[in-house]
Amino acid sequence: MTADPSPGVRAGVAVLAVLIGVLAAVSDPGSAAGLALVALAVVVIGLWVALPRLPSAVVAVGVVVPVVAAARSGQFEPALFLVSMLATGVAWFERSTPVAVAVGVLGAASPLVARLLMPPQESFSYWIWVLGIVFPWVLGRLVRRQFELLARLEAAQRELAARVVTEERQRIARDVHDLVGHGLAAVLLQITGARHVLRRNPDAADEALAAAETAGRASMAELRRTMSLLRNASEAAPAPGLDGLADLVRDVREQGLAVRHTITGDPAAVDDGQALAVHRIVQESLTNALRHAPRADTAVAVTIGPDDVAFDVTSSGPVTPRADDDRPRYGLVGMRERAELAGGELTAAPTPHGWRVRGRIPARGAT
C-alpha cells in the first residue's frame, strides 16, 4: 500500500470537478466570461489528474485565480467548491508538507479575496466558505497520514517476515550442521582410522568400523527425532539437554578422544531451550577437538548457578591446524549464534597449550 492515491481516485476527482462546474453554471449563472473562467478551472483540475507530476502550486494558481475572478461578480458562487476540492486533493496527494500548507492557505484566502473584489451590494457568506475549505484540507492531510502509517506498517511487516525467514534459515543451517556434520565427522574419522590399519591390524580396523557404524546410527536416530519434532512437536522425543552430556562424552571417548567432564549444580533448574543450547555448543566443541586435537586432553566443565549456566571446554595438547583455513568456520559461527540467541555469550580462541571454548547462558530463557 502507498500513501499516493490510485488512478481511480484521481479519475473521480476529475469527474467531481466537472459536476461542480455544471452545478455552478446552472444554479448561479452569470456572464459568458465567468463561465469560461469556471471551465478553465475545471480543465486545470483535469490536467492535474492526467499529469500527476504537474506541480501542486501551479495547479492551485490555475484553479484559485479563475474561480475568484468568476465569483467576484457575485455569480458562480458554487465554483468555490472547486477550491475546496482542490485543497482536499492537494492535502492528500502532495508529499511535501510545506507545499500542501501553502495551497491550503491560498485556498482558505480565496473566499476573502473574492469578497473584497465583489461589489458592495452583493452578499457573500465568505466565512462559511473558509471553513468549507480548511476543514476538508485537514481531513485530506489526515487521510494521507493514515495511508503513510499503513504503508510503513506493511513495510515493517515485510521486513519482519524477511528477517524471520533469514533467522529460520540460519536455525535450520545450525541444526543440519549439528545433526549431519557431527555424525559425518565422527564416521569419517573412524573410517579414516580403519583404512590406515586395515592391512596390518584387521581387529583395530574392525573396531573403528564398528564405532563408525555406532556413530552413524546415533546420528540417524537424532535426525529422525528432529524430523519428528518438525512434523509433530507433540509426538517428538525430548531434545537433548544437560543430562545427555554424559552420553555425549562417552561417545566421543569411544572414538578416541581423552575427555572428562563435570557438572556442578542441578540440571533441572535450567530451561529445556537453554540446556539444548549448552548441549549443542559442547557437542560442537568436542567434535572440533576430536577433529583437530585428537591427542589432546580435553576437559568439559558445566557449572549451573542460580541465574546462569557457565560452560568451559578446554583442550590441552597438540592442535592440528586446518589445511583449508580460508573455509568459513561455520561451527564457531553456529556456537556463537546459539549462545547469543539464548541470551548469553561465548568466546573461542587458542591458548598457549591448546584451545578453549567458554561462555555463559542464562538458566532461564526470556519470556
Side-chain angles (χ1 to χ4, degrees):
M1 179 179 292
T2 176
D4 296 326
S6 64
V9 174
R10 286 186 171 272
V13 171
V15 173
L16 184 59
V18 173
L19 294 178
I20 292 174
V22 174
L23 174 65
V26 173
S27 63
D28 194 8
S31 63
L35 182 61
L37 290 172
V38 173
L40 176 60
V42 173
V43 170
V44 171
I45 292 179
L47 290 175
W48 181 41
V49 171
L51 304 173
R53 298 195 177 189
L54 198 63
S56 299
V58 174
V59 175
V61 174
V63 173
V64 171
V65 172
V67 168
V68 170
R72 70 184 179 86
S73 63
Q75 285 81 36
F76 300 107
E77 181 179 340
L80 287 171
F81 278 118
L82 293 173
V83 178
S84 178
M85 186 185 66
L86 171 73
T88 306
V90 170
W92 180 2
F93 303 169
E94 179 59 49
R95 298 182 181 182
S96 172
T97 299
V99 173
V101 171
V103 172
V105 172
L106 179 63
S110 60
L112 302 176
V113 175
R115 182 65 185 89
L116 291 175
L117 299 177
M118 196 174 292
Q121 66 272 17
E122 295 290 341
S123 62
F124 183 58
S125 301
Y126 54 89
W127 288 115
I128 298 298
W129 281 110
V130 170
L131 182 61
I133 293 172
V134 172
F135 184 67
W137 181 92
V138 173
L139 290 181
R141 208 59 193 169
L142 290 177
V143 169
R144 179 169 185 86
R145 177 62 176 170
Q146 292 301 315
F147 274 95
E148 287 177 346
L149 291 176
L150 288 175
R152 292 178 184 175
L153 178 60
E154 289 186 351
Q157 290 175 337
R158 290 192 296 269
E159 181 181 356
L160 179 60
R163 185 179 303 175
V164 169
V165 170
T166 300
E167 292 178 353
E168 183 65 11
R169 290 176 61 184
Q170 292 175 347
R171 185 191 67 81
I172 294 174
R174 286 193 300 270
D175 290 342
V176 170
H177 182 275
D178 290 341
L179 297 175
V180 179
H182 294 156
L184 286 178
V187 170
L188 290 175
L189 286 172
Q190 297 299 331
I191 292 177
T192 300
R195 288 183 62 251
H196 289 165
V197 299
L198 181 60
R199 288 185 174 82
R200 65 176 183 273
N201 193 342
D203 293 337
D206 183 70
E207 292 178 2
L209 292 175
E213 180 183 6
T214 302
R217 292 183 182 278
S219 181
M220 285 298 300
E222 191 167 359
L223 182 59
R224 291 193 187 98
R225 184 199 65 78
T226 301
M227 294 302 297
S228 176
L229 177 64
L230 292 175
R231 292 178 181 276
N232 191 343
S234 61
E235 298 178 0
L242 298 180
D243 292 335
L245 290 180
D247 295 335
L248 178 62
V249 170
R250 184 187 66 249
D251 292 341
V252 176
R253 187 183 294 124
E254 290 177 353
Q255 296 173 37
L257 183 67
V259 57
R260 62 185 186 279
H261 83 288
T262 58
I263 298 181
T264 305
D266 182 13
V270 184
D271 284 352
D272 292 342
Q274 311 299 92
L276 175 61
V278 175
H279 182 98
R280 293 303 189 197
I281 291 173
V282 173
Q283 183 181 30
E284 175 66 20
S285 301
L286 291 178
T287 300
N288 288 339
L290 184 63
R291 187 182 303 169
H292 303 297
R295 298 189 302 276
D297 183 17
T298 301
V300 178
V302 178
T303 304
I304 304 169
D307 300 321
D308 55 20
V309 182
F311 51 88
D312 189 318
V313 182
T314 303
S315 295
S316 301
V319 176
T320 304
R322 299 192 326 175
D324 50 351
D325 198 57
D326 293 335
R327 184 171 62 88
R329 299 173 181 265
Y330 292 121
L332 295 179
V333 172
M335 286 194 294
R336 290 195 178 95
E337 288 179 348
R338 283 192 182 278
E340 291 172 0
L341 288 175
E345 57 184 7
L346 178 143
T347 59
T351 66
H353 306 289
W355 187 271
R356 186 179 191 183
V357 176
R358 60 177 176 174
R360 221 172 259 279
I361 287 179
R364 297 291 178 182
T367 302

